Amino acid sequence: MMMQKVLCFVVILSASVQCSENPGSIATAAFGYELTMSGLEAVNYNLQKLILESKLHYNSLRADIEGCQRKLENSERIMKQQAKMLGNHEIQLRKIGKTVESVEEISYIRNELDMLAINVSWLLSDTSKIYRVQQTLPTTEMMNLYILQLIANKLNTNATMPLERINLPRTCANVSERRSGVRRIHPQPGFKESFEAYCDQDYEGGGWTVIQKRFDGSVFFYRGWNEYENGFGNLNGEFWLGLKKIHELTYAKRHELHVVLEDFDGIMAVAKYNHFLVGGPEQKYALNKLGNYTGTARDSLGYAVKLKFSTLDSDNDTHKDGSCAVMYQGAWWYGACHASNLNGLYVRGNISDYANMMCWKAFRGHHYGLKSSTMMIRAVV
């Protein structure tokens, strides 16, 4: 409006000047004034229209922004609710996990209770017998002899080992808990004692008893005969199960063997043998059978069939000029000397030393220390 007034003043001033100079131009000036005012009104109309449209657009944008803000607030509220629900679900899953673990231990607890019940029953029975006999035997010496005879009779019957757990799985393939971990198994009930072993239930359908595992060098494997016979290490870490147990497992049932290897480049390879059989102590735990080979690592154990096991203090190899176990700092089924040495020293990758490390010739050769080695056996139905 201010601009319009200014323009009007200019037009009027201009018309006045023209009138004073040329009275005949009054009509022309009046016409120009009307034309100018008409143009200004059109401009003013368009400006008002643009302002109105701008306000409408502004209000629309503001409504859209407020709608987006409300949606964001709703989304944030929903996300908080979902996070809370996920937290509750996590708590419930942990509770369920603990419950599952408890359920999986039921069979073990039941065996323990059964063992305790049997022992208590035998104890009560023996106590009753001793009490009755005590009334008839005249001397303490005769009483002692009777008790010794009672004990001898127990040891000579097949009701032996009252402290032995009953109904244990014979192999890891018979374990009911389908999760990997340490389990107690009993390959030959009534003949040998049960023992703990690591059962792998994840690899190729599960049911595998791990007899050797190495992956970080935390356990030293250059050891003597007694330790290799009985086993050493941590069943939840690196370990050797023990030749006695390996023999017992493979003689109680036919087993297959898988040797899973990994190098420091992350390349995995496996050697599979379908009939793994280890002899007893009288045979120096000879590798009596391996069966047929398949796999990706290629065969570096077939040479050892019929060879005896050797350690640093028990040389049973076929090498005439010294001990392979000492020369290659391991314990294995050596001939003269080896194509594999999975119980050798733990070194990392390529080295200049020859064959004294954890190696598998057909996979990475005699100058390469492997990252991991796992030997697993599974009962063949």
Side-chain angles (χ1 to χ4, degrees):
M1 293 299 293
M2 180 63 70
M3 183 180 292
Q4 184 177 355
K5 290 179 180 180
V6 171
L7 288 172
C8 289
F9 176 77
V10 171
V11 170
I12 292 169
L13 182 62
S14 176
S16 298
V17 171
Q18 289 179 1
C19 287
S20 61
E21 293 177 353
N22 186 8
S25 63
I26 295 173
T28 303
F31 175 77
Y33 170 77
E34 291 294 333
L35 184 62
T36 302
M37 290 301 295
S38 176
L40 288 174
E41 287 176 358
V43 170
N44 183 55
Y45 173 77
N46 289 331
L47 285 174
Q48 293 297 327
K49 184 179 179 181
L50 288 172
I51 290 170
L52 180 60
E53 289 177 352
S54 298
K55 286 182 178 179
L56 292 174
H57 187 59
Y58 168 78
N59 290 333
S60 176
L61 287 176
R62 183 174 180 179
D64 290 342
I65 291 170
E66 290 176 351
C68 290
Q69 286 177 339
R70 286 194 296 272
K71 288 181 180 179
L72 285 173
E73 290 172 357
N74 290 335
S75 298
E76 185 179 359
R77 185 169 57 256
I78 291 170
M79 289 176 67
K80 287 180 179 179
Q81 291 174 350
Q82 289 178 341
K84 185 177 180 180
M85 290 174 62
L86 286 172
N88 293 333
H89 288 326
E90 184 179 0
I91 293 171
Q92 292 298 322
L93 286 172
R94 287 177 181 174
K95 290 181 179 179
I96 292 170
K98 291 180 180 179
T99 303
V100 169
E101 290 178 0
S102 300
V103 170
E104 290 179 343
E105 295 297 329
I106 286 176
S107 60
Y108 174 80
I109 295 171
R110 185 182 292 115
N111 287 335
E112 293 289 330
L113 291 174
D114 289 342
M115 177 197 70
L116 181 61
I118 291 172
N119 290 331
V120 170
S121 176
W122 284 347
L123 180 61
L124 290 173
S125 175
D126 291 346
T127 302
S128 178
K129 288 178 184 178
I130 292 171
Y131 177 76
R132 289 196 301 271
V133 171
Q134 186 181 17
Q135 311 303 315
T136 61
L137 294 178
T139 65
T140 301
E141 183 178 352
M142 295 177 67
M143 185 67 192
N144 290 338
L145 289 173
Y146 174 78
I147 293 172
L148 290 174
Q149 185 61 47
L150 185 65
I151 294 173
N153 290 339
K154 285 289 184 186
L155 294 175
N156 289 328
T157 63
N158 225 5
T160 59
M161 299 182 187
L163 296 178
E164 184 57 63
R165 297 177 176 89
I166 60 175
N167 297 326
L168 289 172
R170 296 186 66 180
T171 70
C172 286
N174 307 126
V175 172
S176 58
E177 296 90 342
R178 303 311 293 175
R179 60 187 176 92
S180 298
V182 178
R183 299 287 181 269
R184 181 166 287 276
I185 58 176
H186 198 183
Q188 299 185 69
F191 178 64
K192 295 285 187 179
E193 295 182 0
S194 64
F195 55 83
E196 289 187 331
Y198 188 91
C199 297
D200 190 316
Q201 306 292 11
D202 301 311
Y203 174 78
E204 288 203 0
W208 296 89
T209 304
V210 181
I211 63 173
Q212 185 251 32
K213 191 172 185 67
R214 303 182 72 184
F215 54 89
D216 62 5
S218 58
V219 174
F220 191 59
F221 270 65
Y222 188 40
R223 303 187 182 219
W225 182 262
N226 287 337
E227 290 181 279
Y228 268 95
E229 189 172 40
N230 296 303
F232 58 86
N234 182 349
L235 290 176
N236 286 306
E238 292 195 331
F239 66 90
W240 172 260
L241 182 62
L243 291 165
K244 283 183 180 179
K245 298 167 187 174
I246 296 171
H247 161 68
E248 189 177 339
L249 281 163
T250 58
Y251 260 68
K253 280 190 174 185
R254 176 172 173 169
H255 278 72
E256 59 182 322
L257 166 70
H258 282 200
V259 182
V260 182
L261 307 170
E262 182 184 6
D263 65 16
F264 282 92
D265 296 321
I267 299 172
M268 306 284 293
V270 60
K272 304 177 182 181
Y273 303 91
N274 66 0
H275 191 181
F276 180 62
L277 181 62
V278 174
E282 70 285 351
Q283 296 178 304
K284 299 296 183 182
Y285 302 103
L287 182 55
N288 286 335
K289 290 184 180 180
L290 268 180
N292 297 324
Y293 162 83
T294 56
T296 58
R298 293 185 291 169
D299 181 20
S300 284
L301 190 58
Y303 79 93
V305 174
K306 300 302 180 182
L307 293 179
K308 299 174 181 178
F309 200 85
S310 292
T311 62
L312 61 90
D313 57 350
S314 181
D315 181 9
N316 303 307
D317 59 45
T318 60
H319 190 53
K320 296 180 180 179
D321 299 322
S323 165
C324 292
V326 173
M327 283 190 292
Y328 297 107
Q329 300 179 66
W332 200 244
W333 293 280
Y334 294 116
C337 277
H338 71 76
S340 56
N341 191 30
L342 296 185
N343 291 329
L345 299 179
Y346 190 89
V347 298
R348 297 175 181 273
N350 289 305
I351 61 172
S352 58
D353 292 349
Y354 175 78
N356 64 351
M357 71 294 290
M358 181 174 70
C359 61
W360 189 270
K361 181 183 178 182
F363 177 39
R364 291 304 304 265
H366 274 148
H367 290 278
Y368 190 96
L370 297 172
K371 179 181 180 181
S372 68
S373 162
T374 303
M375 298 176 68
M376 297 179 282
I377 61 175
R378 181 170 63 182
V380 178
V381 179

